[in-house]
Amino acid sequence: MADATPMSVREVRYLGDPVLREVCREVEAVDEEIRSLVDDLIETMYEQDGIGLAAPQIGIPLRVFVYDVRDEDVEPGVLVNPRIVDATGTQREVEGCLSIPGLEEVVERMDRVVIEGLDRDGAPVRLEAEGLLSRCLQHENDHLDGVLFIDRVSPLKRRMLLKKWSKTEGSRR
Ligand code: NI
């Protein structure tokens, strides 16, 4: 394994960092650089005990995310250039984000989604998901458009969340 680039845990970007609000660029080729990015996302996701992590959350505005909802029936994975091609129903559950630690709120999402993209080798993948995996894929996909879960709650709840966030700001910096 001497030739392999070592995986590394990267710094997670927090709310307020402009990279989280970027519309990320499509990946042109799934090459070694992208595979290395995927490895770092996976390493960082597990280190942070998250169930998903998108490239902009480690400062890279590319359309890539990883996920692992810790369900033995659901394979963890990666999606490059993902696209939600079908969505039905709604679900409402509490959601959080590694980029906004300490904040949680009920978010309405589509219940079932079909999502297409590329895997770590650049091969096409098509996933059908419901429940938590579906929620996770929608949350991570939002990150690639600069959208955070706090954008998907009512203005009143968002104000309360942002107030709480600003109160704890000192402890993060
Ligand atoms: Ni997130």
Side-chain angles (χ1 to χ4, degrees), residues 30-74:
V30 183
D31 53 15
E32 279 310 311
E33 205 174 313
I34 295 301
R35 275 186 279 278
S36 170
L37 167 62
V38 167
D39 291 345
D40 287 357
L41 281 168
I42 290 169
E43 181 95 342
T44 307
M45 173 178 70
Y46 288 134
E47 196 263 343
Q48 295 278 327
D49 206 22
I51 62 169
L53 192 66
Q57 293 183 273
I58 58 168
I60 311 290
L62 287 173
R63 304 190 81 82
V64 180
F65 67 71
V66 299
Y67 59 91
D68 181 353
V69 294
R70 311 295 203 284
D71 179 336
E72 59 184 19
D73 297 326
V74 181

Side-chain angles (χ1 to χ4, degrees), residues 51 69 71 74 88-95 107-114 128-139:
I51 62 169
V69 294
D71 179 336
V74 181
T88 50
T90 55
Q91 54 165 313
R92 289 170 58 83
E93 294 291 341
V94 172
E95 208 166 299
V107 180
E108 184 169 309
R109 296 277 183 189
M110 302 308 286
D111 187 37
R112 181 187 155 277
V113 294
V114 179
E128 290 187 30
E130 56 184 18
L132 178 61
L133 178 61
S134 171
R135 167 173 299 278
C136 173
L137 295 172
Q138 291 171 73
H139 177 116

